Amino acid sequence: MTEGRTLVLSVDRDDDIGWKANVESPCIGRAACLKAANTLALADPEDSDVNAIFSAIKIYDELTAKGEDAAVAVVAGNHLHMIEGDRRIAASLQKVVEETGATNCILVTDGAEDEYVIPVIQSKLPVTSI
């Protein structure tokens, strides 16, 4: 168990939740993340971001069941412009940190492409697990 509040963060670098499912990000909290995952699953059941979001919710549930102070969120980038998207992820993460009071982060991704944003995330919050 870590000190402070752990943010379980799912990153959708290419903004499939916005592009395919018309979901605004960031999604903060279990209910908002679950709604985003379900909406994306109905729009494209084969999108790997669906599993990443559900995985983040599962990790959040496990942490809170053990009594850990945790929050869960999804941030998204931009479907067409990666630089703009990475900047959007940084701004969204800042908002998430302010709203949740998170002090560290467990990053949940659907693959290597999302891992390019690790330095962006680490600039805002220590990453304790990927």
Side-chain angles (χ1 to χ4, degrees):
M1 196 145 86
T2 62
E3 290 200 26
R5 177 172 258 195
T6 299
L7 173 64
V8 184
L9 181 68
S10 179
V11 174
D12 176 11
R13 189 173 187 222
D14 59 355
D15 191 27
D16 288 327
I17 63 170
W19 184 260
K20 295 177 182 178
N22 202 28
V23 172
E24 280 290 315
S25 72
C27 303
I28 303 171
R30 189 182 191 281
C33 292
L34 190 57
K35 182 177 180 182
N38 284 327
T39 304
L40 180 56
L42 290 171
D44 183 358
E46 295 181 8
D47 192 300
S48 59
D49 286 303
V50 172
N51 289 328
I53 299 169
F54 279 127
S55 183
I57 295 166
K58 182 178 187 283
I59 292 167
Y60 165 80
D61 287 348
E62 290 169 350
L63 293 176
T64 56
K66 291 191 297 186
E68 190 165 331
D69 188 10
V72 63
V74 178
V75 294
N78 184 291
H79 191 73
L80 300 173
H81 305 285
M82 289 301 158
I83 293 172
E84 190 176 305
D86 291 350
R87 289 176 174 167
R88 181 175 177 218
I89 287 169
S92 293
L93 182 56
Q94 184 65 41
K95 178 180 178 181
V96 170
V97 169
E98 289 170 5
E99 280 193 33
T100 64
T103 58
N104 67 87
C105 175
I106 296 173
L107 180 61
V108 182
T109 74
D110 67 345
E113 181 68 25
D114 290 336
E115 292 181 10
Y116 285 115
V117 299
I118 291 172
V120 174
I121 294 164
Q122 287 177 321
S123 74
K124 305 285 181 198
L125 202 59
V127 175
T128 57
S129 182
I130 301 172

